Amino acid sequence: MSDRLILLLPALANFTGQPLPPALGKALGRAQRVRLAPGERAQLLRHFQLRPQAWPSAALARVADAGIEDARPDAWLRADPAHLRADINGVRLLGIGRTVGLDPADVEAFLPALRPLFGDAGMMLDAPHPERWYLRLAPAVKLPEFAAPEQALGDDVFEHAPDGPEARRWRTLMSEAQILLHNHPHNARRMESGRVPVNGLWFWGGGVLPDAIESAAPTLYSDDPELRGAAILAKLGGMNLSECKDFSAAALVDLRGQRDRPGLIQHGLAEAARAATGHEVVLDFSDGHVFTLARRQRWRLWRKPLERLLP
């Protein structure tokens, strides 16, 4: 069991140029700093040990949404509702899941139209949460590599189309789903209420649950269903991020979704640096920059404070 406080943070590049409070700058200047593998998946695998070592996003989120017994032993693939827009350069992915504003009425309208398409292909489509739609697949299914939403948002969807021998089937299903959704009358009602149309599905995160999952952290604070599912499997204490009132205890705290960068520095990193007088604090940025802060570093008087965070 670890006595470290670990903060999962967005890419360090997102903080470039942000000034640091003097105490935080001093702590970071004296901290141990390493560069590890970049990317959110590599970041998460530093703190969760899975056997086999993969990160099946859909299956883990399914645990949080529907429970372990429901999620095992099938394979899962996210099929999240998306907003696509054509322009002179192609068709762009402009929104997916929570960013397109979904509610139970959308599920009730769209799902009956889509289920026969996937049922004919031997799959079950359901939506235990309006923002997260799933395809239940046979455990031994072979899937192509699908791009995660954060990789594809804003880009031409054809740049991220699946490739390989299994991909043709999925490109066809994606195209047929677009046709069904484009012509669906519920989109007119969405647009009348000021929301964008749901005119596509985005496949990603496929896989089965791992045989085992472990983490040294005693508690997870996160609103991410994937991490919540991983915590359930690893038997960690799992709480919403809003329940993390301070940084005085060892835990894994997921701050990747925080958009207020100055606030995150002032009320996240600075508070964590103060906690380093009691135990180790790890600041793990998703682009692979990792700072470890510890009480013993206070004697590194020759190290200059950092004035700003730079990659």
Side-chain angles (χ1 to χ4, degrees), residues 1 215-221 231 236-239 249-253:
M1 200 67 78
S215 177
T219 305
L220 168 76
Y221 292 96
L236 307 186
M239 302 185 189
L252 183 62
V253 183

Side-chain angles (χ1 to χ4, degrees), residues 21-296:
L24 175 59
K26 183 186 294 185
L28 292 178
R30 297 175 181 178
Q32 176 188 348
R33 182 172 179 176
V34 297
R35 184 73 186 274
L36 302 176
E40 285 199 358
R41 182 167 295 188
Q43 180 187 36
L44 298 178
L45 288 173
R46 288 195 276 274
H47 307 291
F48 289 94
Q49 293 74 51
L50 287 75
R51 296 194 297 273
Q53 190 176 15
W55 189 266
S57 294
L60 292 173
R62 184 75 186 194
V63 170
D65 281 336
I68 297 174
E69 295 304 318
D70 174 86
R72 202 184 293 278
D74 300 298
W76 296 94
L77 183 68
R78 290 282 286 272
D80 289 340
H83 173 56
L84 310 173
R85 184 176 298 172
D87 61 25
I88 59 173
N89 297 312
V91 178
R92 297 193 178 277
L93 177 65
L94 296 184
I96 182 169
R98 65 181 180 83
T99 65
V100 298
L102 296 158
D103 59 32
D106 297 315
V107 176
E108 292 174 9
F110 291 131
L111 224 57
L114 292 165
R115 274 180 167 151
L117 170 65
F118 293 100
D120 289 346
M123 311 171 198
M124 186 197 77
L125 176 69
D126 76 342
H129 190 285
E131 297 171 0
R132 295 186 290 277
W133 297 16
Y134 298 85
L135 284 169
R136 187 190 294 264
L137 311 172
V141 66
K142 292 184 178 180
L143 295 171
E145 188 70 27
F146 293 105
E150 61 267 18
Q151 296 175 292
L153 275 170
D155 289 350
D156 184 345
V157 298
F158 297 106
E159 294 177 8
H160 299 279
D163 199 7
E166 296 88 18
R168 181 178 178 182
R169 176 194 197 194
W170 293 100
R171 290 197 297 266
T172 300
L173 286 169
M174 185 178 289
S175 296
E176 292 182 3
Q178 286 178 25
I179 293 169
L180 285 169
L181 290 167
H182 177 76
N183 296 321
H184 200 289
H186 185 67
N187 272 320
R189 293 190 284 275
R190 281 180 56 88
M191 294 174 71
E192 288 170 0
S193 66
R195 295 183 294 169
V196 297
V198 172
N199 52 9
L201 297 179
W202 193 258
F203 303 134
W204 67 284
V208 298
L209 285 180
D211 296 328
I213 182 167
E214 298 175 351
S215 177
T219 305
L220 168 76
Y221 292 96
S222 178
D223 298 328
D224 185 334
E226 294 178 37
L227 265 65
R228 298 296 295 269
I232 291 169
L233 288 166
K235 297 181 172 57
L236 307 186
M239 302 185 189
N240 294 327
L241 187 58
S242 61
E243 296 178 80
C244 183
K245 302 303 182 184
D246 59 51
F247 296 126
S248 60
L252 183 62
V253 183
D254 179 20
L255 299 173
R256 295 170 300 151
Q258 303 302 298
R259 297 290 180 257
D260 178 7
R261 304 301 187 226
L264 185 51
I265 289 174
Q266 294 289 338
H267 305 296
L269 304 190
E271 290 182 28
R274 286 192 290 272
T277 59
H279 49 68
E280 277 195 351
V281 172
V282 178
L283 308 180
D284 188 337
F285 295 87
S286 65
D287 47 3
H289 295 275
V290 179
F291 294 79
T292 301
L293 288 66
R295 179 180 173 83
R296 61 184 177 275

